[in-house]
């Protein structure tokens, strides 16, 4: 009698080449934006990362080569110890960015953050006043946001203005460019609304492919007209037929939904401590681990956490037979699960015949720098980059 011997379990961990960690220091926010990826609210029941956990996370991230920390939320400014968190990150030598809706960016608060070592602030501005306030669900917010941007610029911060484009405001975004320059921002970045978090409740706000292509053309036209003094970046979202011969991004952020299996150079740590390889996976996939349980370095090097994601590498029969599969790599697995309830379904942005529709869906994180033409998951420079 011959006994069958089970095949040894293959240990699989992607190359860990960490460049940036997004740390959601709190999920508490003073707003309830219609598309918030983290469904943040003003409820005091929202989770918040403990100070000691954040400090340990930053120390550990440095030990495995991380270079950039993006403090996010929720609204980070709500935390009274935000200057202490920034100071700890600064002592570790990290380049830092902090995302804010701008309403709480008073000069005294910004002076505290500057003294702690922060130099770059990202402020959300979703169009003219009516559009901005509607998306942010707060009448009168626009004036406070503009004041916050002006305060930050006046104190010497490198300010990036972020806009999330939807069908409600896409007509107005390109027209913001001269105002963004007048405000003195260093970067103007436009994001595509993705259906995760609260955005999953509002999928009808997603901009259709043809309109998105026209919008990117409008951004190029505005750039040629206004000759912006700032960098301008836009999420690509779709790759058009004339672009299909271009080289990929080499793995990592921006290079397909499973690019992090080629190279893990970015992770997101939520306010409850969970660690994710991509924001799109948060609602639908298991986390890699939790920093309350063990260090980030252990989580990222543990094959058990990656096992689920390696299981997503296959494509359905339609994609397998498509000549574009090497370029799109099956599109967004997360969007397939969100839209069709199946990881193996077609990306809802694809008809199954890219040649007929003229585009393929690509990673939401890939950005195009409108001014320089460069493309990557990290299209804009961080102050201090070479």
């Amino acid at each position: 009698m011959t006994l069958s011997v089970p095949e040894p379990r293959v240990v699989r961990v992607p190359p860990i080449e960490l460049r940036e960690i997004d740390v959601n220091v709190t999920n508490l926010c003073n707003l309830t934006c219609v598309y918030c990826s983290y469904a943040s609210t003003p409820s005091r029941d929202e989770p918040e990362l403990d100070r000691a956990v954040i400090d340990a996370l930053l120390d550990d991230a440095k030990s495995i080569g991380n270079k950039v920390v993006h403090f996010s939320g929720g609204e980070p400014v709500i935390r009274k110890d935000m200057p202490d968190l920034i100071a700890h990150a600064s002592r570790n030598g990290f380049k830092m960015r902090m995302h804010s809706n701008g309403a709480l960016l008073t000069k005294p608060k910004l002076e505290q953050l500057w003294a702690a070592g922060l130099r770059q602030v990202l402020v959300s501005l979703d169009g003219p006043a009516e559009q901005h306030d509607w998306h942010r669900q707060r009448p009168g917010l626009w004036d406070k946001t503009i004041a916050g941007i002006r305060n930050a610029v006046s104190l010497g911060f490198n300010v990036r203005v972020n806009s999330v484009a939807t069908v409600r405001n896409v007509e107005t975004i390109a027209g913001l460019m001269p105002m963004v320059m007048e405000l003195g921002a260093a970067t103007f970045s436009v994001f595509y609304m993705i259906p995760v978090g609260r955005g999953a409740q509002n999928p009808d706000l997603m901009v259709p492919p043809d309109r998105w292509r026209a919008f990117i053309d409008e951004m190029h036209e505005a750039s040629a007209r206004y000759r912006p003094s700032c960098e301008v970046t836009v999420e690509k979202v779709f790759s058009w037929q004339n672009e299909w011969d271009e080289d990929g991004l080499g793995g990592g952020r921006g290079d397909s939904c499973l690019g992090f299996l080629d190279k893990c150079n970015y992770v997101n740590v939520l306010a409850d401590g969970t660690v994710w390889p991509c924001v799109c996976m948060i609602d639908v996939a298991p986390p890699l681990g939790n920093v309350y349980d063990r260090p980030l370095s252990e989580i990222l090097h543990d094959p058990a956490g990656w096992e689920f994601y390696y299981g997503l590498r296959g494509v359905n029969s339609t994609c397998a037979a498509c000549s574009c599969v090497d370029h799109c790599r099956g599109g967004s697995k997360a969007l397939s699960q969100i839209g069709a309830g199946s990881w193996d379904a077609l990306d809802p942005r694809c008809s199954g015949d890219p040649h007929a529709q003229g585009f393929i869906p690509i990673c939401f994180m890939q950005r195009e720098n409108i001014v320089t033409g460069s493309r990557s998951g990290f299209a804009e420079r961080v102050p201090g980059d070479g």
Side-chain angles (χ1 to χ4, degrees):
M1 178 177 181
T2 303
L3 296 176
S4 61
V5 179
E7 294 183 4
R9 182 169 174 266
V10 178
V11 177
R12 290 175 293 191
V13 172
I16 308 299
E17 300 178 13
L18 209 56
R19 178 194 190 271
E20 176 182 324
I21 56 172
D22 280 15
V23 184
N24 290 40
V25 295
T26 181
N27 211 49
L28 177 66
C29 189
N30 53 325
L31 304 178
T32 53
C33 304
V34 296
Y35 51 70
C36 179
S37 297
Y38 308 108
S40 302
T41 74
S43 171
R44 292 292 171 178
D45 293 329
E46 292 289 354
E48 182 170 285
L49 277 172
D50 292 344
R51 164 78 185 280
V53 172
I54 296 175
D55 286 351
L57 168 65
L58 297 178
D59 293 343
D60 188 45
K62 179 183 179 181
S63 75
I64 54 176
N66 186 65
K67 298 177 177 60
V68 180
V69 175
H70 178 189
F71 290 113
S72 185
E75 174 55 57
V77 181
I78 286 177
R79 286 191 68 133
K80 294 181 179 179
D81 63 351
M82 200 64 224
D84 299 319
L85 300 177
I86 289 168
H88 192 86
S90 183
R91 287 192 293 271
N92 273 312
F94 291 128
K95 297 165 187 174
M96 291 172 287
R97 301 177 293 176
M98 187 191 74
H99 187 95
S100 174
N101 57 53
L104 305 178
L105 293 181
T106 63
K107 283 192 174 181
K109 175 60 71 175
L110 285 164
E111 286 168 350
Q112 291 179 342
L113 300 175
W114 181 279
L118 186 67
R119 294 294 182 268
Q120 186 177 30
V121 178
L122 285 55
V123 184
S124 301
L125 185 68
D126 294 333
E130 181 182 358
Q131 292 290 352
H132 179 71
D133 292 355
W134 183 87
H135 285 84
R136 300 280 162 177
Q137 298 291 285
R138 180 65 59 83
L141 180 68
W142 193 86
D143 289 334
K144 294 180 179 179
T145 299
I146 295 297
I149 293 172
R150 291 193 186 280
N151 287 339
V153 171
S154 71
L155 291 173
F157 281 92
N158 176 292
V159 176
R160 188 178 95 182
V161 171
N162 291 339
S163 297
V164 177
T166 73
V167 294
R168 288 283 299 256
N169 67 356
V170 69
E171 303 288 342
T172 69
I173 298 295
L176 290 179
M177 196 176 295
M179 185 182 71
V180 171
M181 290 189 290
E182 184 274 328
L183 288 169
T187 308
F188 178 31
S189 289
V190 185
F191 296 80
Y192 186 89
M193 196 209 88
I194 55 177
V196 297
R198 197 172 291 116
Q201 302 170 22
N202 299 288
D204 56 320
L205 290 176
M206 297 172 68
V207 180
D210 288 347
R211 183 65 188 92
W212 191 250
R213 185 177 193 181
F215 166 70
I216 293 179
D217 288 342
E218 290 164 10
M219 292 294 288
H220 280 284
E221 291 166 3
S223 177
R225 183 183 314 122
Y226 299 119
R227 299 186 181 278
S229 54
C230 59
E231 290 193 79
V232 181
T233 70
V234 176
E235 288 186 331
K236 282 281 294 170
V237 189
F238 308 96
S239 177
W240 307 97
Q241 199 156 1
N242 62 309
E243 302 170 336
W244 292 353
D245 292 333
E246 296 177 4
D247 293 333
L249 298 172
R253 178 169 174 160
D255 189 11
S256 86
C257 198
L258 297 179
F260 48 74
L261 295 180
D262 299 323
K263 181 193 302 178
C264 176
N265 53 13
Y266 157 85
V267 293
N268 195 314
V269 183
L270 297 196
D272 62 0
T274 52
V275 179
W276 303 85
C278 176
V279 64
C280 296
M281 294 290 183
I282 288 171
D283 290 337
V284 290
L288 297 172
N290 193 301
V291 293
Y292 277 100
D293 300 329
R294 53 187 175 149
L296 177 66
S297 55
E298 290 186 18
I299 292 170
L300 296 184
H301 288 93
D302 184 355
W306 292 102
E307 188 169 358
F308 171 83
Y309 294 98
Y310 271 98
L312 300 180
R313 288 181 304 167
V315 295
N316 59 58
S317 57
T318 301
C319 291
C322 179
S323 61
C324 298
V325 68
D326 290 338
H327 192 79
C328 77
R329 303 177 70 181
S332 171
K333 293 284 187 173
L335 212 59
S336 296
Q337 177 64 20
I338 293 168
S342 170
W343 295 102
D344 293 325
L346 276 175
D347 184 316
R349 297 173 292 168
C350 186
S351 67
D353 189 349
H355 291 277
Q357 66 186 21
F359 66 85
I360 55 177
I362 59 174
C363 178
F364 291 107
M365 302 299 163
Q366 185 183 160
R367 300 176 191 171
E368 176 179 343
N369 190 308
I370 297 293
V371 177
T372 67
S374 63
R375 296 174 184 169
S376 82
F378 303 102
E380 78 283 356
R381 292 186 295 271
V382 174
D385 278 356

